[in-house]
Amino acid sequence: MKRFTLYLIAIVMGIFLLTSTNDAQEKAQPKKLLKIQKQIHKQKEVYICPMDPEVQSDKPGKCPKCKMDLEKKMVKMDMQSRIKKEIYTCPMHPEVQNDKPGKCPKCKMKLEKKTIAAPAKPQGEAAVYTCPMHPEEKTDHPGKCSKCGMNLEKVKK
């Protein structure tokens, strides 16, 4: 009889401990859900061309340069300002850049609007590679120029 009573007490205590642990987990879950929901709301869908990452859009479609489908990426809202920036550049003189529309001071052609991807890392930390023929083509890793196929060269600071 003593054993039976001890077993019964042990079972009741075990059940009590299990239910109290589950209650604590259930109370913690809404906090975790709120945190996850906040993280999700801080993100935004952006559609980016896989061949021309400077081409970005808020909605799906085709790249105006290469006609490929834009791919959906999730981007943090605070990162959004660093990811895309609109500039105006001359098609004949890519070194001529302006943040407003206008005409090229060299050839008087109309400046074309471009959306460029800004580097996520500060430029002082990462190496910058550029095309000798197209200085506006910049990346943080070696490769080939998307316009002419030449090897990108490391920029010396």
Side-chain angles (χ1 to χ4, degrees):
M1 185 72 176
K2 285 184 179 179
R3 282 188 184 170
F4 179 73
T5 309
L6 287 175
Y7 286 130
L8 188 62
I9 291 173
I11 291 172
V12 170
M13 287 184 71
I15 292 171
F16 175 75
L17 287 174
L18 285 174
T19 56
S20 64
T21 305
N22 287 340
D23 289 341
Q25 288 175 346
E26 286 175 11
K27 289 178 184 176
Q29 277 183 344
K31 289 180 183 178
K32 287 181 183 178
L33 286 174
L34 262 172
K35 195 173 187 180
I36 291 169
Q37 286 174 344
K38 284 181 184 178
Q39 288 174 348
I40 290 171
H41 290 294
K42 287 184 182 180
Q43 294 181 346
K44 181 180 177 183
E45 285 182 356
V46 177
Y47 294 87
I48 300 173
C49 176
M51 292 297 291
D52 304 302
E54 70 273 6
V55 176
Q56 299 180 2
S57 175
D58 294 339
K59 52 189 175 238
K62 299 224 179 251
C63 174
K65 291 182 177 181
C66 66
K67 307 298 183 216
M68 288 182 69
D69 289 332
L70 299 178
E71 294 179 352
K72 181 169 64 170
K73 302 279 183 187
M74 293 300 289
V75 179
K76 288 185 179 178
M77 290 299 286
D78 60 302
M79 299 278 292
Q80 186 65 23
S81 61
R82 286 189 273 166
I83 287 184
K84 70 178 185 182
K85 179 182 176 188
E86 291 179 349
I87 62 164
Y88 295 85
T89 184
C90 176
M92 296 301 290
H93 304 99
E95 67 276 3
V96 174
Q97 296 180 350
N98 199 345
D99 55 350
K100 297 178 185 171
K103 294 192 175 194
C104 175
K106 294 181 179 180
C107 65
K108 305 299 181 205
M109 286 183 74
K110 184 180 174 185
L111 298 178
E112 294 178 350
K113 184 176 173 181
K114 267 193 171 181
T115 304
I116 59 169
K121 297 178 186 175
Q123 288 186 357
E125 292 179 15
V128 178
Y129 294 86
T130 186
C131 175
M133 296 301 290
H134 303 101
E136 71 277 9
E137 293 286 317
K138 293 181 182 174
T139 181
D140 61 348
H141 58 280
K144 300 230 181 243
C145 175
S146 63
K147 292 182 178 178
C148 66
M150 289 181 67
N151 289 331
L152 299 178
E153 295 178 355
K154 189 173 182 179
V155 177
K156 296 180 182 178
K157 295 183 181 181

